Structures are given as structure tokens and as C-alpha cells.
Amino acid sequence: MARVLVTGGAGFIGSYLCERFLQEGYEVICMDNLITGSVDNIGHIKDSRFSFIHYDVTNYVYVQGKLDYILHFASPASPLDYLEYPIQTLKVGSLGTHKALGLAKEKGASLLIASTSEVYGDPLIHPQNEDYWGNVNPIGPRGVYDEAKRFAEALTMAYQRYHKVDTRIVRIFNTYGPRMRIKDGRAIPNFIAQALKDEDVTVYGDGAQTRSFCYITDLVEGIYRLLMSDYNLPVNIGNPHEMTVARMAKEIISLTGSKSRIVQMPLPEDDPKVRQPDITRAKTILGWEPRVELREGLRHTIGYFRKKMEIPESKSLR
Ligand code: UDP
């Protein structure tokens, strides 16, 4: 049986990856230090092929037995978390990636790292394709994440070129879905939690900045296809359906049937003004494109938040 290690496996994306690889017939080892991940995300997995190791991948990692694949997904991933865990964010992207690559080299495993659209920073070209080098402020509050991921990409390419480790790099754009934390701090979980409680929905700045949101199952399909390909250069995976943040706030208020008002809050430092993936490469090389419509994805996500927050179904979803 093929074995896969998922670092950050108890996180939002990592937990879906664990499930996907179990479905595909693999033995899955999930590793997480649980600073932003939670056992709640994997507690339902009752499968003898699944195991959990509570461990911080920035330390020396040893896994007994063979490994076929490593998916390095451990990292805080919300701007709120970078502020709370700046050093851990830098360490897991740099030292953690080094440990994961070292393990891949030792085991002869293929390794896929979770990179991010943040490598493009506040982009000066639009939409962003993989050949764009980005516009990142190294010393701003987001720099801890952006630069760690840029370093992770550089280290991964070096291991691929120098040590011939078989590697993949996925640049993940904004993703949403069930298992995001209520207090995650990112736009969609904030808006849904606020709307379900009829509290003010906090739009940062004038809300004219744009993002493009991908539903979790679409993302996981793209990642799976990338790992199974033999393509070593970075690939954007995201949904090109771009919208303003203000539009997203309105959509969520409408879908939850909420009485919430929209209020403006200060725009965080270095908040990118636009973001949209150019997915030509994923389409061409992986035959992948997103399938889940925004409203459908939001309905599933709202349903999850409603349950988690114990909000009765008094207001029917529109
Ligand atoms: N945002 C917002 N209100 C919130 C949370 C986020 O207006 O309560 C904005 C944020 O300033 C950014 C966009 O929504 O412009 C997406 O933010 P998120 O934190 O989800 O991820 P980012 O794409 O910035 O990494």
C-alpha cells in the first residue's frame, strides 16, 4: 500500500487531503502541531490506514517505514494568524520545508509544497500567471508568510535541481469551505459568522479590493492532479471568478437571510488590491478547472458554520 505524509493534515485544506488519499487507497500519516489546525477536522476519520502524529515539522522529522508522497501543508494561513504567529509562520515555511524535503530525499518520496498567491504580493500584473515574479514587501506584516513561501519555493526548486527530488509546487489562491475556523479572520468565515449572528459585517477599506474564491473540493482535485503529474514548476490553482470584497459581503448577507449591516473598518497594511489566478497552465497540463459555483459552495459553508455555531435553521437559506 502506498503511504503519504500530510504535514498540516489537521488543518482546513490538509484534512481534506487526508480524506482524499484514503479514498484513493493510500495509507495516510497526518502530522500537525495543532497551533491553527484541530483534531476536530480529522476526528471523524475512522480508518485503520489513518494515523495522527502530534508534531512540529520545523523540528527534525523521522517517519518509520517507506513514504511515497509528502504533502507539505503545515502553516498558519490567515493574515490574523501571521500577526499572532509571525515566527512560527517563517519557521514552518523555511525550516519546515527543509525538513520535509530532507525526508523526501531520504525516502525517495515525491513532495508537493503548498505555496500561495501571496508570492505575487500586491500584483502589478492582472490576472497573475506563474511567470510573474511578484511585488512583495519583505518587512510588512504579511512578509512573514509571503517570504517564507517564496523561500519554500526556492528551496524546493534547489532540491529538485540539485538532489533530483521529485517535487511539485502548487500556488493556492483564496479557498473556502467547511472546516474553516469561525474565528479564522479571513473574509468568508468572518462574514458568515457575523451574518449568522446578525452582527455588523466588517468590510476592510472601501471593499473595492478584489479576490477570487475557490471551493475546497475543486482545490483538492487540482492538487491531486498536480501530484500525479510530472510537472515540477509552480502551478496556480484557484477559481478565476473575481469579485470585490464588498460584493462577497452582500452575497453572504443575502444567502444567510441576515439583518446585518455592512460597516467599514481600516484596510490592513499591504492588503493586495486585486487578485485573480490565470489558470491556463492548470487547464493545459492537468486538464483541471473549478466546477463548484460560488453560491453552491457558500451554501455548504454556511450550513457548516450554522451547525458549528449552533444557530437554528429559523432563517431558511435562500
Ligand atoms: N476582509 C474584509 N473583512 C474581513 C476580513 C477580510 O474586508 O472581516 C478583506 C481583506 O482586507 C482582504 C480580503 O477581504 O482584502 C480577503 O482577505 P482574507 O483575509 O480572506 O485573505 P487574503 O486574500 O487577504 O489573504
Side-chain angles (χ1 to χ4, degrees):
M1 199 188 306
R3 295 178 93 208
V4 45
L5 169 69
V6 183
T7 77
F12 164 49
I13 298 176
S15 63
Y16 284 90
L17 289 170
C18 290
E19 286 175 313
R20 175 64 186 260
F21 280 88
L22 288 169
Q23 275 165 23
E24 299 286 344
Y26 292 82
E27 183 179 336
V28 175
I29 304 163
C30 165
M31 184 177 283
D32 208 299
N33 68 355
L34 300 177
I35 67 167
T36 58
S38 167
V39 285
D40 291 353
N41 292 333
I42 49 170
H44 62 283
I45 303 177
K46 309 275 179 240
D47 192 315
S48 57
R49 294 168 305 148
F50 180 74
S51 56
F52 173 66
I53 306 174
H54 186 187
Y55 193 73
D56 185 336
V57 67
T58 59
N59 301 314
Y60 176 79
V61 189
Y62 176 72
V63 173
Q64 227 166 9
K66 70 158 188 168
L67 274 182
D68 299 282
Y69 298 107
I70 299 174
L71 292 109
H72 182 42
F73 275 71
S75 178
S78 158
L80 206 65
D81 294 329
Y82 322 149
L83 292 178
E84 197 175 349
Y85 306 109
I87 315 281
Q88 288 96 326
T89 303
L90 278 159
K91 282 174 74 178
V92 76
S94 54
L95 306 180
T97 303
H98 185 223
K99 299 294 178 290
L101 282 162
L103 186 64
K105 177 167 154 262
E106 166 71 24
K107 301 280 184 186
S110 300
L111 175 140
L112 181 147
I113 63 154
S115 185
T116 167
S117 54
E118 286 283 326
V119 300
Y120 303 123
D122 190 5
L124 303 177
I125 71 148
H126 194 67
Q128 295 77 52
N129 65 44
E130 292 87 347
D131 295 328
Y132 178 48
W133 291 353
N135 177 39
V136 170
N137 173 6
I139 58 164
R142 304 173 84 99
V144 295
Y145 184 67
D146 303 6
E147 295 298 359
K149 291 294 189 181
R150 289 170 67 96
F151 176 85
E153 287 198 6
L155 193 63
T156 300
M157 289 309 296
Y159 266 68
Q160 193 259 321
R161 291 182 179 127
Y162 188 75
H163 288 310
K164 308 292 174 217
V165 174
D166 182 37
T167 59
R168 314 277 183 277
I169 298 173
V170 57
R171 290 189 179 148
I172 300 170
F173 283 64
N174 294 68
T175 300
Y176 71 100
R179 298 189 199 153
M180 289 187 100
R181 297 159 304 163
I182 291 156
K183 295 201 160 113
D184 179 277
R186 280 176 283 189
I188 290 185
N190 271 8
F191 295 168
I192 294 178
Q194 291 159 344
L196 286 175
K197 288 188 283 181
D198 289 324
E199 289 175 356
D200 289 347
V201 167
T202 55
V203 166
Y204 301 160
D206 62 5
Q209 69 273 33
T210 68
R211 293 293 186 274
S212 310
F213 296 94
C214 184
Y215 190 63
I216 181 67
T217 52
D218 280 335
L219 178 86
V220 166
E221 180 62 30
I223 292 170
Y224 186 78
R225 287 189 191 200
L226 177 59
L227 184 63
M228 295 304 144
S229 79
D230 57 2
Y231 193 74
N232 298 126
L233 295 175
V235 178
N236 288 340
I237 299 285
N239 191 321
H241 180 191
E242 183 184 13
M243 66 177 64
T244 65
V245 167
R247 171 90 215 114
M248 175 58 83
K250 284 188 196 130
E251 192 72 53
I252 288 173
I253 290 173
S254 153
L255 280 173
T256 48
S258 172
K259 297 188 192 66
S260 293
R261 297 173 317 143
I262 291 181
V263 295
Q264 288 193 6
M265 306 268 283
L267 189 67
E269 200 180 328
D270 296 336
D271 200 281
K273 285 179 269 310
V274 290
R275 182 179 293 157
Q276 183 192 31
D278 179 332
I279 59 165
T280 310
R281 192 175 278 184
K283 275 185 181 164
T284 315
I285 293 171
L286 311 176
W288 175 88
E289 62 184 317
R291 302 203 171 283
V292 180
E293 294 292 334
L294 180 70
R295 287 197 174 176
E296 187 192 342
L298 284 178
R299 281 198 184 94
H300 289 306
T301 314
I302 291 165
Y304 169 85
F305 273 67
R306 203 184 273 281
K307 249 198 202 145
K308 200 83 184 164
M309 295 165 66
E310 296 174 355
I311 303 227
E313 285 279 345
S314 54
K315 291 181 290 187
S316 64
L317 293 183
R318 285 178 207 166

